[in-house]
Amino acid sequence: MSETRAKSLLKVDDIHVYYGSIHAIKGISFEVNEGEIVTLIGANGAGKSTTLNTVSGLLRPRSGLISFEGKSIVGIGASKVVGLGMALCPEGRRVFQQMTVRENLEMGGFSRPGEEIPQSLENVFTRFPRLKEREKQVAGTLSGGEQQMLAMGRALMSKPKLLMLDEPSMGLAPILVEQIFDIIKELHASGTTILLVEQNAQMALSVADRAYVLGTGKITISGPAEAVLADDRVRAAYLGG
Amino acid sequence: MVSFLRFLINGISLGSVYAIIALGYTMVYGIAKMLNFAHGDVIMVGAYIAFCAMQYLGLPPLVAVLAAMVFCTVLGMVIEGLAYRPLRQATKLAVLITAIGVSYLLQNTALLIWSSNPKVFPSVFNIGTIRLFDGNLVISSETILTIVANIVIMIALTLFTGRTKMGKAMRAVSEDRGAAELMGINVNRTISLTFAIGSALAAIAGVLLCSAYPTLQPTTGSMPGIKAFTAAVFGGIGSIPGAMIGGLLLGIIEILGKAYISTELGDALVFAVLIVVLLFKPAGLLGKPMREKV
């Protein structure tokens, strides 16, 4: 983990993001090192999704630096960011409802050479056998849990070094939440670095190495996950006790 | 009976032209989420280019059609890049007004170059006729060619959007632009490609239209453009098979209406049917009801 002086993968330095005149992100800095699970937690509207959307290139920061593997990625746009090895599994899953499961996965591998796609499809199907069963089904007909798996599988198709997950447990039954977090742990064990945004702070902190707590556009607390979990302010605000 | 068949075939032929134009509307709407009201005028430009290529340069019809397609493809991409792309984040109304502006620009440029005197479009594909029922039913080669062209285009587009990587990317962009971008799909390039395809089809439609109704003037594209737009809405805007069905039905209704009800009311009838369909199926015949995003 971080003590072994791991290589920094993603570095976000003092970014400011605006929606029109609304100052949504007011100078956030954080870092994700290779092999870590880092989580951003915080209340609704704190700016968690905005942060991920900015890192992935969907939004452009007004100021600040974002670098991936030492290279600046500000302003290059989301469609190029994914090719560098960073994939965002967006909030609300956003699978292509009218396309089949297989087509959705193929789109996930859009940035990669065609000959690598069959192998990646195979890998995703091994990890999510349920998707294999529903390969030809239109994604809109899948259940919420299956759609979440599809969204994660789709993000994995680009073979990301850093996988960003935005609220993967949103709207899912508790048993499915458990399943999704098991998958996150498996992905981590197989070497994928993960940046996880969650409202379910308890679950997120239980799998993460380090955590940042966001409060209205600013990082208020940060540190190793166990320390954040034990922090009184966090317990009071996000863990109901 | 024979006359009914004749009207029906004419209707299918006219409907095929509407369908080909409607494809341009529907694809652009589906992917760029805008109504490109200049689309009808691209048809007119295509017809003029083909006309000039044949009349002044003496090129064979097929080469003239290809030249028109190439010209319109470039024109479509230039229009998109210069007029619509800067408005990607603007309100829909701003884009709509721009499209109407582009439409006027094309018409008036054509007026400057070719004047308002109608040109008589040469009979391009006159390679004989088919006579049925002892010569009572005559089907011209233009009619057959139009119908065949429509079928070929439809099959090609279905294969393109269903099987190819770029075609699937188009569908992804049409469903969720942001998510498509996250996949690594270049949205601008995809929209540009859509305009290219739509405009190339408009060139074909222009030549087919003027082969059947050989008067070519700067406003030639307006009415067919509006009817094809109606056809696209009728079939369910955004849907490729919808454009096909909408176009064909509209052509048939128009010709039969003019033949059996009233020549003057033929166009009115077309729009009346549209209104009735939209009352019962607001998303069009094959349109999917809008889903609210969670």
Side-chain angles (χ1 to χ4, degrees), chain A residues 53 56-58 77-80 82-83 86-90 92 94-100 103-104 106-114 140 154-155 158 170, chain B residues 89 161-190 238 288-294:
Chain A
N53 288 339
S56 68
L58 283 176
S79 65
K80 293 223 174 73
V82 62
M86 229 193 307
L88 169 63
C89 178
R94 289 169 78 169
V95 296
F96 302 113
Q97 303 273 335
Q98 290 163 39
M99 298 174 82
T100 65
E103 285 172 336
N104 265 280
E106 284 171 0
M107 287 299 104
F110 190 86
S111 59
R112 308 229 345 270
R154 187 179 66 173
S158 67
M170 192 170 73
Chain B
Q89 312 299 331
T161 53
R163 303 275 173 86
T164 67
K165 188 174 173 181
M166 270 322 289
K168 288 177 194 175
M170 269 188 181
R171 283 159 59 208
V173 172
S174 101
E175 265 202 58
D176 186 334
R177 202 180 278 180
E181 233 177 308
L182 288 175
M183 304 296 111
I185 297 168
N186 184 326
V187 171
N188 277 338
R189 202 178 300 156
T190 311
K288 298 200 174 65
M290 287 292 183
R291 241 190 307 254
E292 285 299 322
K293 283 221 184 72
V294 186

Side-chain angles (χ1 to χ4, degrees), chain B residues 17 30 45 58 136 192 208 253 282:
Chain B
V17 176
V45 173
N136 286 325
S192 189
L208 291 173
I253 293 168

Side-chain angles (χ1 to χ4, degrees), chain A residues 39-68:
Chain A
T39 184
L40 291 178
I41 56 175
N44 241 340
K48 306 184 298 287
S49 294
T50 306
T51 305
L52 282 199
N53 288 339
T54 308
V55 170
S56 68
L58 283 176
L59 296 173
R60 208 186 160 136
R62 192 167 290 183
S63 65
L65 296 172
I66 306 171
S67 58
F68 185 69

